[in-house]
């Protein structure tokens, strides 16, 4: 199909800005013809600045077109006196605009590509880029403007400014190489997440939303399943409590939780886990669930260990065991290896138990902690997380929201549990469970979970499940969308795996530097606009987008409940009288 752009042309005299007066490798200076006009210019009810800072422009360039962004408008020093306090904005001024070159545009197909095919010559004309053309940049294929409109596209909002041209992106370009939503507090990050979820729900998608704060409990509809771990303060209507049993954890998770220290606690903790795995595999070797060792014979233990595949299974970090018995089993591990030089019998209790007393106290405290109630204190009969995911994947629901707001930060509980969820999804992906039904995982407040390492030096554990998903998940049909207000707390390796970035206002220099390094498509001139983006504005950047496009994100029909308390309403109810 031929669009209106192709039939009328993108270089319209009514949108002429000026002419090229200077050319360098990355920038072009333009003599602006309308810099002294009051306001902008309207064409077909759409406003164009015709020479305003931040505006996208098209430049003629020797049988091709270039796309650029105006980054600066100024007057030569000799003419600055023309702008005085009584300037009425109607006189012609000799203004100069500096344009940062972004890419090249094929003159026939209008396909946009990175790099400069040919540079303009002095006197070449410059035009404001039509909003309809800008809105099509994210969905243009190799066929350019003549390509068919994709049957599945996500409507994000409109081209930023007063143009009002709608802008859409295909799921392949938005999520195909993972996605990250970045922005400072109040920039509109949560609304963008809600808008993306809303658009995904228009299609038979499968989306898992890990809600760290509970602000997305506003989602409703027959295609939404709400679930929660623990007992959050605010529970969505119809939300089901689920559990995450210790069988979803590995040996590394328990070491991260219990944080053994010194030269004694770590080995004794591992030996206790090994003994409890054997007790699970061969119950006859156990008494009340634990393996008795103090002053006990080793014969039954050796027979059970050498039976079948038990010798390899007990060393498997994924082999389940009863973690609630760890304190009692560690006590049994604190004994002499032999009794009176008898190699077939363990000896009496040793002084190692005193070294492990702090570990025992920590384990008991963690198992009984409210922060870990969804793991160790869950009620019988609750669906597990794995069962909930199975039901969701097999059913017609399109969104599974898992609320993590009740999981506390003590003992690194939130980080460890979320990492275990990510690892479970990655293990399923490696079994090709998502090949025919791609799964999108949205991780809210991602800076709390990525790039974390917990535990003492000797037993530090990297919580890298989502980093592994970022590196290898997409080939299995598992994609992630990270939302964070602190990009600097996410490792550069993870951000570099994000093929698409939706960048809201970033006021911190370090955050902007991280974004620049992670994504080569955003240059310093584009990054300079990030602190000045309005609420709800986002720069769309990515490997599938040849230039950054600024979008005013649409208002979601079910916005998140992320507003703080209203002091005007609360404090204004009963004002003090003097």
């Amino acid at each position: 199909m031929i669009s209106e752009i192709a039939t009328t042309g993108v270089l319209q005299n009514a949108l002429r800005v000026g002419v090229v007066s200077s050319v360098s490798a990355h920038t072009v200076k333009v003599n602006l013809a309308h810099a002294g006009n009051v306001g902008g210019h309207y064409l077909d009810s759409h406003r164009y600045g015709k020479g305003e800072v931040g505006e996208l422009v098209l430049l003629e360039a020797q049988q091709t077109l270039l796309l650029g962004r105006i980054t600066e408008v100024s007057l030569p020093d000799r003419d600055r006196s023309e702008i005085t306090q009584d300037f009425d904005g109607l006189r012609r001024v000799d203004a100069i605009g500096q344009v940062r070159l972004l890419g090249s545009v094929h003159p026939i197909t209008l396909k946009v590509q990175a790099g400069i095919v040919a540079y303009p010559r002095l006197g070449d004309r410059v035009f404001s880029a039509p909003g309809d053309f800008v809105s099509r940049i994210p969905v243009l294929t190799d066929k350019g403007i003549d390509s068919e409109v994709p049957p599945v596209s996500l409507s994000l909002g409109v081209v930023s400014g007063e143009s009002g041209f709608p802008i859409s992106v295909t799921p392949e370009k938005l999520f195909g190489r993972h996605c990250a939503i970045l922005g400072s507090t109040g920039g509109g990050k949560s609304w963008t997440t809600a808008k993306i979820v809303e658009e995904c729900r228009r299609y038979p998608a499968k989306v898992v939303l890990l809600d760290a704060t509970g602000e997305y409990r506003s989602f409703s509809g027959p295609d939404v399943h709400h679930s929660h771990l623990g007992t959050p303060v605010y529970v969505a209507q119809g939300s089901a409590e689920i559990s995450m049993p210790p069988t979803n954890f590995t040996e590394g998770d328990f070491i991260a939780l219990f944080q053994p220290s010194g030269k004694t606690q770590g080995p004794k903790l591992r030996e206790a886990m090994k003994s409890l795995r054997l007790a699970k595999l061969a119950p006859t070797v156990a008494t009340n669930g634990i393996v008795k060792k103090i002053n006990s014979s080793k014969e039954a233990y050796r027979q059970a260990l050498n039976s079948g595949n038990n010798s390899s299974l007990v060393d498997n970090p994924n082999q389940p065991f009863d973690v609630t018995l760890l304190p009692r089993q560690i006590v049994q591990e604190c004994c002499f290896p032999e009794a009176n030089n008898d190699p077939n019998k363990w000896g009496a209790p040793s002084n190692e138990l005193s070294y492990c007393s702090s570990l025992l106290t920590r384990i008991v405290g963690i198992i009984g902690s409210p922060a870990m109630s969804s793991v160790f204190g869950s009620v019988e009969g609750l669906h597990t997380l794995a069962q909930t995911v199975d039901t969701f994947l097999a059913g017609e629901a399109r969104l599974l929201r898992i609320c993590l707001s009740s999981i506390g930060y003590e003992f690194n509980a939130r980080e460890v549990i979320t990492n275990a969820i990510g690892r479970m999804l990655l293990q399923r992906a490696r079994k090709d469970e998502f090949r025919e039904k791609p799964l999108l995982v949205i991780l809210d407040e991602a800076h709390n979970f990525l790039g974390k390492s917990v535990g003492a030096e000797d037993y530090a554990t990297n919580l890298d499940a989502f980093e592994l998903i970022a590196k290898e998940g997409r080939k299995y049909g598992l994609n992630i969308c990270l939302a964070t207000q602190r990009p600097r707390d996410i490792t550069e390796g993870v951000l570099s795996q994000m093929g698409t970035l939706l960048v809201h206002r970033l006021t911190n220099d370090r955050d902007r530097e991280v974004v620049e390094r992670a994504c080569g498509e955003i240059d310093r001139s584009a990054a300079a606009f990030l602190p000045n983006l309005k609420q709800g504005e986002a720069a769309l950047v990515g490997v599938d987008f040849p230039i950054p496009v600024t979008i005013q994100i649409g208002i979601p029909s079910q916005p998140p409940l992320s507003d703080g308390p209203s002091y005007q309403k609360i404090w204004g109810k009963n004002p003090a009288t003097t």
Side-chain angles (χ1 to χ4, degrees):
M1 60 180 291
I2 305 296
S3 78
E4 182 182 354
I5 298 174
T7 57
T8 62
V10 292
L11 304 183
Q12 302 181 32
N13 282 329
L15 297 180
R16 184 172 174 178
V17 170
V19 295
V20 174
S21 60
S22 174
V23 180
S24 67
H26 301 291
T27 60
V28 168
K29 290 185 178 180
V30 179
N31 287 348
L32 300 176
H34 308 282
N37 292 355
V38 177
H41 175 82
Y42 283 84
L43 180 65
D44 297 331
S45 301
H46 298 293
R47 183 186 182 278
Y48 294 91
K50 295 184 71 174
E52 294 180 352
V53 171
E55 185 177 10
L56 291 176
V57 293
L58 290 166
L59 302 86
E60 296 176 325
Q62 306 181 50
Q63 307 303 315
T64 189
L65 299 175
L66 298 180
L67 188 62
R69 187 191 304 275
I70 299 178
T71 60
E72 181 181 341
V73 176
S74 63
L75 286 176
D77 288 342
R78 68 177 187 277
D79 296 331
R80 284 190 301 167
S81 59
E82 293 187 19
I83 305 296
T84 59
Q85 293 185 4
D86 59 351
F87 180 73
D88 55 12
L90 300 177
R91 290 182 300 215
R92 185 180 182 88
V93 294
D94 186 20
I96 298 175
Q98 185 161 299
V99 176
R100 177 77 178 190
L101 299 179
L102 301 175
S104 303
V105 182
H106 193 283
I108 298 176
T109 66
L110 299 185
K111 178 191 173 185
V112 182
Q113 66 182 44
I116 308 303
V117 174
Y119 285 91
R121 298 174 64 87
L122 299 181
D124 281 348
R125 297 176 298 174
V126 181
F127 302 81
S128 293
D132 191 16
F133 166 69
V134 177
S135 69
R136 291 293 303 276
I137 291 176
V139 292
L140 289 176
T141 64
D142 291 339
K143 295 181 180 179
I145 208 68
D146 293 334
S147 58
E148 293 291 332
V149 176
V152 177
S153 61
L154 310 178
S155 178
L156 299 182
V158 297
V159 177
S160 187
E162 300 182 28
S163 59
F165 289 99
I167 194 164
S168 300
V169 182
T170 61
E172 291 84 356
K173 288 189 175 184
L174 191 60
F175 307 125
R177 293 182 176 88
H178 306 304
C179 176
I181 303 170
L182 315 175
S184 303
T185 301
K189 171 176 53 66
S190 298
W191 282 47
T192 298
T193 304
K195 182 64 176 178
I196 288 177
V197 171
E198 176 183 302
E199 287 297 303
C200 291
R201 290 170 57 190
R202 296 198 293 116
Y203 304 99
K206 289 294 181 182
V207 181
V208 173
L209 172 59
L210 300 181
D211 188 356
T213 59
E215 62 182 330
Y216 299 102
R217 65 186 183 277
S218 57
F219 292 148
S220 62
D223 63 324
V224 180
H225 278 180
H226 289 281
S227 59
H228 57 274
L229 291 166
T231 54
V233 176
Y234 301 105
V235 180
Q237 185 175 4
S239 182
E241 183 179 356
I242 61 175
S243 65
M244 190 173 181
T247 51
N248 291 133
F249 286 61
T250 65
E251 179 178 298
D253 293 327
F254 291 121
I255 290 175
L257 275 175
F258 301 142
Q259 298 185 21
S261 60
K263 302 298 182 183
T264 302
Q265 293 185 2
K268 292 303 177 184
L269 177 60
R270 285 196 167 94
E271 282 297 320
M273 292 180 184
K274 181 177 178 179
S275 297
L276 290 176
R277 291 191 192 103
L278 184 62
K280 194 84 170 180
L281 293 167
T284 55
V285 79
T287 303
N288 295 326
I290 65 172
V291 177
K292 295 281 190 179
K293 288 189 174 182
I294 297 176
N295 294 323
S296 300
S297 172
K298 299 180 181 180
E299 182 63 26
Y301 181 88
R302 289 170 176 169
Q303 289 181 357
L305 189 63
N306 295 325
S307 175
N309 295 325
N310 289 350
S311 59
S312 60
L313 290 177
V314 295
D315 290 321
N316 184 350
N318 297 312
Q319 186 68 27
F321 63 93
D322 190 346
V323 68
T324 61
L325 299 176
L326 264 179
R328 294 170 55 196
Q329 186 62 53
I330 291 175
V331 171
Q332 293 296 318
E333 302 296 334
C334 295
C335 63
F336 290 102
E338 295 180 1
N340 299 322
N341 295 323
D342 184 356
N344 297 316
K345 187 177 180 181
W346 284 290
S350 67
N351 57 1
E352 293 172 322
L353 183 59
S354 61
Y355 297 127
C356 293
S357 59
S358 61
L359 175 63
L360 297 175
T361 303
R362 195 179 306 118
I363 293 175
V364 172
I366 291 173
I367 291 176
S369 169
M372 299 297 295
S373 62
S374 59
V375 177
F376 302 116
S378 55
V379 180
E380 288 291 333
L382 290 180
H383 281 285
T384 65
L385 175 66
Q387 292 171 333
T388 302
V389 171
D390 286 336
T391 302
F392 169 67
L393 294 176
E396 298 298 322
R398 299 175 179 181
L399 172 64
L400 171 61
R401 171 182 164 270
I402 303 174
C403 182
L404 308 175
S405 61
S406 70
I407 303 175
Y409 290 96
E410 58 268 30
F411 311 117
N412 302 111
R414 180 171 290 207
E415 293 91 335
V416 173
I417 289 176
T418 306
N419 188 70
I421 295 174
R423 185 180 56 250
M424 183 195 72
L425 294 175
L426 180 59
Q427 289 172 346
R428 287 167 173 258
R430 287 169 173 166
K431 297 176 183 178
D432 272 353
E433 292 188 19
F434 308 134
R435 186 78 67 177
E436 298 301 323
K437 280 189 176 181
L439 181 67
L440 173 65
V441 181
I442 300 178
L443 179 61
D444 188 34
E445 303 294 338
H447 56 276
N448 289 327
F449 311 112
L450 273 73
K452 299 293 183 181
S453 178
V454 297
E457 266 188 32
D458 294 337
Y459 306 101
T461 302
N462 293 322
L463 305 180
D464 57 357
F466 286 97
E467 295 184 38
L468 293 175
I469 292 176
K471 293 176 181 177
E472 59 177 288
R474 69 185 183 92
K475 65 184 177 184
Y476 300 118
L478 177 62
N479 294 93
I480 57 174
C481 177
L482 308 177
T484 178
Q485 59 187 331
R486 294 174 62 89
R488 62 186 180 276
D489 287 346
I490 296 179
T491 60
E492 191 173 335
V494 173
L495 269 186
S496 64
Q497 296 293 327
M498 301 294 108
T500 302
L501 302 181
L502 279 163
V503 188
H504 287 270
R505 182 173 66 241
L506 287 176
T507 56
N508 186 282
D509 292 340
R510 289 177 56 199
D511 286 333
R512 294 197 299 274
E513 290 172 2
V514 168
V515 173
E516 286 180 49
R517 290 197 301 268
C519 188
E521 281 72 24
I522 187 168
D523 55 49
R524 290 192 176 275
S525 65
F529 288 94
L530 296 181
N532 303 321
L533 293 175
K534 302 193 301 288
Q535 187 176 29
E537 277 189 336
L540 177 63
V541 188
V543 295
D544 286 322
F545 308 107
I547 67 160
V549 177
T550 305
I551 304 173
Q552 182 67 47
I553 302 295
I555 299 176
S557 59
Q558 296 177 351
L561 303 175
S562 54
D563 294 336
S566 173
Y567 291 99
Q568 298 299 322
K569 291 182 180 179
I570 298 174
W571 289 7
K573 288 180 179 179
N574 299 300
T577 58
T578 57

